[in-house]
């Protein structure tokens, strides 16, 4: 009985955790959020709007602004002032030459504070670059985010919220260069062996990035992202002494909310289109592939279907010929698309006689005459 009751209580705990939007284990974080990177939906929030310092997770914005400045393979020469900083470093040396791309790897994998200074210096200068970071925050609607430097060292008005940091990360992950850099577990660039400080890449199945952070004032900060079954989740914790374990639990609970849903099977009839001038008034549309998505119960109710193609087609329609696409979406967010083809042949009607011929047929009919050619 005791064993049964213990198992029962475990399942009750898990059920309540999923139903109420709380993780199945207690969190250590002062602030936390789990965000769907594709839809922007918040899967879980704990003090997610509290304004807090974010340490080196700042470098997510530093990387975004550097990448959007362009020409990542441009070579520059390290200035002495880039090397004069405290904390973590990629160990830049005055006078050495490397690319902005190399420096971005040092920024995001090694969390180099010197890399942040170099990027700011080479992308407009410190003051202009920090202004660019703040301008970008405003553009993205991050009203509680403000930067004083590109590396995340403590400063009075250097802060964000867990939710806004997750929103920034969702934007950053849309960029191929950013995804490639933060998803790299280890590499050798510019003569340096670089190992990513983000242990989630090695600890968590499906992890794709993104950034660690720590100062005594901020505590441990972590932004992680993982992809499973076509869905990407972002977890953020600020001031969390047990961040690795917390992120695994947060992401597990987030992914548990999704269920597999088959939208249509390969070969299924998923619509019809009118046919002009055909032996039949319409033709059915056939799906090319089986489409399965992982959706939350709420998303299943929100899925809409749109067809990309002509409102009608002219005969003949040939079986297997391309018509257009079927699009499954929630609002403006496209979930999946599939190719549509005609499911059968629709022949063209014989040409209709001209007006003169029809008039002659009518008159001949009145007098019992045959108007057909001999």
């Amino acid at each position: 009985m005791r064993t049964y009751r213990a198992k029962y209580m475990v399942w009750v705990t898990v059920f309540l955790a999923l139903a109420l939007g709380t993780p199945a284990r207690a969190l250590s974080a002062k602030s936390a959020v789990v965000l769907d990177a594709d839809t922007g939906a918040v899967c879980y929030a704990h003090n997610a709007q509290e304004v807090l310092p974010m340490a080196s997770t700042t470098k997510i914005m530093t990387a975004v602004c550097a990448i959007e400045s362009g020409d990542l393979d441009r070579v520059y020469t390290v200035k002495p002032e880039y090397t004069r900083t405290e904390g973590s470093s990629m160990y830049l040396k005055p006078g050495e030459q490397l690319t902005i791309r190399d420096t971005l790897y040092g920024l995001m994998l090694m969390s180099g504070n010197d890399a942040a200074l170099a990027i700011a210096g080479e992308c407009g200068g410190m003051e202009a670059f920090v202004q660019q970071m703040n301008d970008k925050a405003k553009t993205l609607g991050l009203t509680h985010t403000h930067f004083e430097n590109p590396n995340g060292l403590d400063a009075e008005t250097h802060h964000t919220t867990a939710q806004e940091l997750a929103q920034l990360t969702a934007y950053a992950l849309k960029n191929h260069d950013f995804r490639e850099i933060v998803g790299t577990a280890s590499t050798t660039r510019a003569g340096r062996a670089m190992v990513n400080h983000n242990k989630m890449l090695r600890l968590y199945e499906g992890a794709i990035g993104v950034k660690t952070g720590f100062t005594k004032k901020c505590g441990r900060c972590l932004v992680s992202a993982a992809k499973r079954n076509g869905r990407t989740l972002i977890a953020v914790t600020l001031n969390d002494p047990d961040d690795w374990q917390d992120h695994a639990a947060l992401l597990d609970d987030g992914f548990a909310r999704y269920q597999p849903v088959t939208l249509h099977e390969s070969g299924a009839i998923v619509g019809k289109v009118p046919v002009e001038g055909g032996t039949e008034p319409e033709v059915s549309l056939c799906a090319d592939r089986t489409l399965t998505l992982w959706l939350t119960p709420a998303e299943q109710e929100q899925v809409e279907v749109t067809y990309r193609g002509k409102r009608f087609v002219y005969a003949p329609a040939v079986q297997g010929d391309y018509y257009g696409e079927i699009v499954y979406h929630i609002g403006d967010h496209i979930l999946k698309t599939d190719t549509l083809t005609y499911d059968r042949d629709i022949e063209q009607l014989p040409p209709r006689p001209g007006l003169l011929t029809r008039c002659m047929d009518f008159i001949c009919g009145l007098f019992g005459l045959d108007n057909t050619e001999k």
Side-chain angles (χ1 to χ4, degrees):
M1 176 66 76
R2 192 173 296 172
T3 301
Y4 171 79
R5 184 172 298 171
K7 289 182 178 179
Y8 174 78
M9 290 306 297
V10 168
W11 282 110
V12 168
T13 301
V14 172
F15 173 78
L16 289 175
L18 293 175
L20 299 177
T22 57
R25 66 185 292 276
L27 284 181
S28 304
K30 187 171 184 179
S31 176
V33 73
V34 178
L35 189 79
D36 186 307
D38 301 312
T39 66
V42 175
C43 304
Y44 168 77
H46 168 67
N47 297 332
Q49 304 289 356
E50 184 173 355
V51 177
L52 294 168
M54 67 286 211
S56 282
T57 60
T58 295
K59 291 163 184 166
I60 294 171
M61 180 63 92
T62 305
V64 166
C65 291
I67 290 169
E68 292 185 353
S69 294
D71 195 9
L72 300 187
D73 296 311
R74 174 172 59 87
V75 176
Y76 72 96
T77 302
V78 175
K79 298 177 182 178
E81 56 265 34
Y82 299 163
T83 66
R84 297 171 189 153
T85 184
E86 59 182 295
S88 54
S89 177
M90 72 172 292
Y91 306 105
L92 291 174
K93 299 175 183 178
E96 76 169 311
Q97 293 187 322
L98 67 165
T99 65
I100 298 294
R101 189 183 302 275
D102 291 335
T103 312
L104 281 167
Y105 276 90
L107 178 82
M108 301 306 285
L109 274 65
M110 304 175 74
S111 200
N113 292 335
D114 52 351
L117 296 185
I119 286 169
E122 295 299 319
C123 296
M126 179 63 69
E127 185 176 344
F129 188 82
V130 173
Q131 185 61 53
Q132 183 183 348
M133 294 170 70
N134 286 312
D135 289 344
K136 190 66 182 181
K138 289 180 182 178
T139 300
L140 296 176
L142 310 181
T143 57
H144 296 97
T145 297
H146 186 265
F147 302 99
E148 286 195 38
N149 58 63
N151 46 37
L153 292 176
D154 296 337
E156 187 176 350
T157 62
H158 193 95
H159 52 69
T160 189
T161 69
Q163 183 157 335
E164 290 192 358
L165 190 51
Q167 292 169 338
L168 168 61
T169 303
Y171 172 81
L173 287 171
K174 294 176 183 178
N175 183 279
H176 171 76
D177 289 311
F178 183 90
R179 289 198 314 272
E180 185 174 281
I181 292 168
V182 300
T184 300
S186 62
T187 187
T188 299
R189 300 189 72 94
R192 294 165 174 82
M194 302 183 185
V195 177
N196 201 320
H197 290 185
N198 182 8
K199 294 181 182 179
M200 292 295 287
L201 289 171
R202 296 175 285 276
L203 295 175
Y204 193 80
E205 179 187 355
I208 59 173
V210 275
K211 190 69 189 75
T212 60
F214 173 79
T215 69
K216 289 183 179 179
K217 177 183 177 181
C218 302
R220 293 178 63 86
C221 301
L222 179 61
V223 180
S224 67
K227 186 171 184 176
R228 288 184 185 175
N229 301 313
R231 302 306 298 259
T232 300
L233 293 182
I234 297 166
V236 176
T237 53
L238 298 176
N239 196 348
D240 184 358
D242 194 18
D243 50 8
W244 306 122
Q245 295 295 326
D246 284 344
H247 276 242
L250 287 167
L251 292 170
D252 280 346
D253 290 340
F255 283 121
R257 299 171 189 274
Y258 298 91
Q259 303 167 353
V261 176
T262 298
L263 302 174
H264 65 237
E265 301 279 354
S266 175
I269 301 300
V270 294
K272 296 181 179 181
V273 63
V275 177
E276 289 289 330
T279 54
E280 297 183 42
E282 60 186 14
V283 62
S284 296
L285 301 174
C286 185
D288 182 42
R289 299 173 290 121
T290 297
L291 292 190
T292 300
L293 283 178
W294 287 73
L295 302 170
T296 65
E299 288 175 336
Q300 293 177 38
E301 299 296 324
Q302 298 168 10
V303 174
E304 300 176 89
V305 179
T306 301
Y307 296 89
R308 291 175 178 167
K310 298 177 181 178
R311 291 195 297 173
F312 63 90
V313 297
Y314 290 103
V318 179
Q319 182 181 16
D321 274 5
Y322 175 83
Y323 162 73
E325 291 182 318
I326 185 171
V327 181
Y328 293 92
H329 59 98
I330 296 177
D332 294 331
H333 175 63
I334 295 176
L335 301 169
K336 283 277 189 178
T337 64
D338 192 21
T339 298
L340 300 178
T341 56
Y342 304 122
D343 81 317
R344 64 188 185 280
D345 293 336
I346 304 293
E347 296 181 0
Q348 187 176 20
L349 287 171
R352 188 180 181 187
L355 179 60
L356 178 61
T357 301
R358 282 181 281 142
C359 290
M360 291 296 296
D361 286 344
F362 176 75
I363 294 171
C364 289
L366 290 177
F367 294 98
L369 300 175
D370 185 2
N371 191 39
T372 57
E373 294 183 359
K374 302 297 184 180

